[in-house]
Amino acid sequence: MTVDSFSAQDTFALGQQIGEAAVPGEVYTLTGDLGVGKTVFTQGVAKGLGIKEAVNSPTFTILQVYEEGRLPFYHFDVYRIGCAEEMDEIGYEDYFYGDGVCFIEWANLIEEILPKNCRKITISKDLSKGLDYRKITIG
């Protein structure tokens, strides 16, 4: 499925729809260049899960856990991971195979440990369609 987003609000709203429909054990990968709206999308997912606290990209902490919503929400940003083995130190399997919903930014850096049934989301720009345009592909 491909969705055209023409604003940050559109991107947020699509994330919110995914959060509202999320079920325990789902793992989503989220890829795209810096500044395409991965965090905005993730903030929408959090809202859809009923999370009220501020959601920011965990670039320096690798993982943020939010438990106040209808499901636990595990938000990874693995941009600073040097190799997939570093994920063992975090205990990633507890999150990937747990009862919550995982969103993994920069998941292409740890492809070898991703669950086979994860859903892939890619966000990309197309400047010919405007500065705020994003193509969001969900597979």
Side-chain angles (χ1 to χ4, degrees):
M1 171 173 79
T2 300
V3 176
D4 294 321
S5 170
F6 294 94
S7 67
Q9 293 84 1
D10 289 350
T11 300
F12 183 94
L14 179 59
Q16 185 174 347
Q17 290 173 6
I18 293 206
E20 289 169 350
V23 297
E26 286 186 318
V27 176
Y28 292 84
T29 65
L30 191 54
T31 56
D33 292 336
L34 287 170
V36 295
K38 295 184 299 292
T39 300
V40 169
F41 187 90
T42 304
Q43 290 167 336
V45 171
K47 175 150 176 126
L49 288 168
I51 295 166
K52 292 179 177 47
E53 77 179 271
V55 172
N56 296 304
S57 186
T59 301
F60 295 101
T61 59
I62 311 299
L63 170 65
Q64 290 282 7
V65 176
Y66 304 92
E67 295 182 335
E68 71 179 58
R70 66 178 181 83
L71 295 171
F73 182 44
Y74 311 125
H75 181 198
F76 288 84
D77 183 331
V78 298
Y79 184 74
R80 299 204 180 283
I81 291 285
C83 63
E85 289 77 33
E86 289 180 40
M87 292 292 288
D88 288 332
E89 297 171 20
I90 298 168
Y92 77 92
E93 289 178 329
D94 293 338
Y95 302 103
F96 285 15
Y97 303 102
D99 293 328
V101 177
C102 284
F103 263 73
I104 309 161
E105 294 187 40
W106 300 98
N108 54 306
L109 300 174
I110 58 165
E111 285 181 330
E112 61 268 25
I113 63 170
L114 293 173
K116 291 186 183 354
N117 63 340
C118 64
R119 307 231 11 228
K120 296 180 189 246
I121 299 171
T122 303
I123 304 176
S124 59
K125 293 181 183 181
D126 182 346
L127 295 177
S128 71
K129 294 184 178 182
L131 292 176
D132 294 328
Y133 174 82
R134 303 293 186 266
K135 178 172 121 178
I136 302 172
T137 306
I138 303 170

